[in-house]
Amino acid sequence: DFEGKFKKALFIDVGGGSTEVSLMEKNRILDSNSFKIGTVRMLNGMVKPGEWKKMEEWLSKFKEQEEPLLLVGSGGNINKINKLYGDINRKVLSLDSLEEALDYLGKYSVEDRIALIGLRPDRADVIIPAGQIFQFIMKSLDASFVFVPKIGLSDGMVSMLFRERMASGSPLGRS
């Protein structure tokens, strides 16, 4: 459990066309950015090299902070990698385990990832680029692990907004 250990969390949501990264503290978004680095873009060779540099520069401002930062990964790909290679009970995927997963999965064709590893067809091609994006972010921040709750970013935000609305006594969003 990470309660109290981390005051800030960096939420990472990797999609097909982009990666959204948000720095949060106590249910507040402090900083957020979207990068045109997504799994489908990577597969199609459509990520501009400058976009990786842009992401790395943006992330660098969080590297020097004194307090530890909890990386939180969301999306089906990181959930699947964590299920296969991470610590599923603690919901933690170490950088070493992620790199092991990328090495292992990279040895197989998309067809073999479906037939031998049992990946869904819509996941078998994009799982490696997704893992590489998480790897890039983790290395950029010198992070040894990413926390992978079994909840998507949008699910988490809807849940958070719902709890906030209920706590304020205004469940329909009227203030």
Side-chain angles (χ1 to χ4, degrees), residues 50-61:
E51 199 66 13
W52 289 104
K53 188 82 181 135
K54 182 179 152 191
M55 180 188 274
E56 187 175 36
E57 286 172 3
W58 187 80
L59 290 168
S60 70
K61 62 185 169 182

Side-chain angles (χ1 to χ4, degrees), residues 26-174:
K26 292 183 182 162
N27 298 336
R28 279 187 19 239
I29 296 175
L30 301 178
D31 201 348
S32 186
N33 210 331
S34 178
F35 301 94
K36 291 179 181 162
I37 301 172
T39 57
V40 176
R41 271 187 210 263
M42 285 177 68
L43 286 175
N44 294 324
M46 295 175 62
V47 176
K48 297 183 174 100
E51 199 66 13
W52 289 104
K53 188 82 181 135
K54 182 179 152 191
M55 180 188 274
E56 187 175 36
E57 286 172 3
W58 187 80
L59 290 168
S60 70
K61 62 185 169 182
F62 306 119
K63 196 173 175 179
E64 303 304 318
Q65 295 188 4
E66 291 177 23
E67 63 217 16
L69 191 60
L70 177 65
L71 270 58
V72 180
S74 114
N77 289 303
I78 197 69
N79 279 318
K80 188 64 173 181
I81 293 170
N82 192 49
K83 186 176 179 184
L84 295 172
Y85 297 94
D87 181 338
I88 195 79
N89 294 323
R90 291 180 53 227
K91 299 178 177 129
V92 167
L93 179 65
S94 70
L95 180 58
D96 289 343
S97 295
L98 173 59
E99 291 179 337
E100 182 183 317
L102 291 171
D103 286 345
Y104 181 77
L105 294 169
K107 293 175 183 168
Y108 294 93
S109 67
V110 171
E111 293 76 17
D112 285 344
R113 286 182 218 145
I114 296 167
L116 302 174
I117 302 170
L119 293 180
R120 292 189 343 225
D122 64 334
R123 172 106 37 242
D125 58 344
V126 293
I127 197 165
I128 289 178
Q132 291 168 333
I133 294 168
F134 277 98
Q135 178 187 37
F136 180 85
I137 293 171
M138 291 170 79
K139 284 186 163 186
S140 295
L141 293 169
D142 293 329
S144 60
F145 73 92
V146 61
F147 178 59
V148 187
K150 188 76 175 96
I151 186 168
L153 184 61
S154 57
D155 297 331
M157 294 188 121
V158 167
S159 173
M160 183 182 79
L161 289 170
F162 177 75
R163 284 194 313 272
E164 283 177 6
R165 291 289 180 206
M166 293 307 288
S168 72
S170 178
L172 299 176
R174 295 186 184 100

